[in-house]
Amino acid sequence: AAVVTALGGITMSSATAVDNLNTLSKTTGVSVENLQKFQYASKLIDVSQETLSQSLRKLTMNMQSAEAGTGKAAEAFEALGIKYKNFDGTFRDSEDVFNDLIDALHDVDDEAMRDAYAMNLFGRSAMDLNPLILAGSDEVGASVVRSNDGRRIFLMGHMEYDKDTLA
């Protein structure tokens, strides 16, 4: 009976995790598969799933609010040189914007300014993203690249592979 109870708990826990990923995917526009990959990479540098989830949600909201061209998020996007819209006026993929922002923030030398930009874009969870920001995507060794045929390929610890190698 104890084994059945334990298995039932595992099943419920797994179902809840899948439901949480589905909900996050719908609110952020990032696929469930790529959310799982982000979570795996973030665990390697001690960024919690909750921090990642909150940051992606806040980023998605700030991309929409920045559309008016005013406010702290719009200023941060501008200062960091990150475009959140495509040339045709549609929003860029939030996953791509997230990766670009992490690398742009990584390159900001002024710690106070970097933290202010991060807070304006990711909200309160920004401080907990610092391990990821400080490492940058190259240091983490995690990258989602797009091959020439348009496939997204997640790489962990193999930065020698790039979009040209994966053609």
Side-chain angles (χ1 to χ4, degrees), residues 1 3 34 43 61 63 95 106 109 117 128 131-132 135 137 160:
V3 172
N34 284 333
K43 284 179 188 176
M61 290 187 311
M63 286 170 63
E95 179 183 336
H106 172 77
D109 292 327
Y117 290 148
D128 295 330
L132 179 59
S137 63
E160 68 272 17

Side-chain angles (χ1 to χ4, degrees), residues 18 21 30-41 154:
V18 168
L21 282 174
V30 178
S31 72
V32 170
E33 179 184 0
N34 284 333
L35 285 172
Q36 290 173 319
K37 292 170 185 176
F38 274 133
Q39 288 172 355
Y40 177 74
F154 183 79

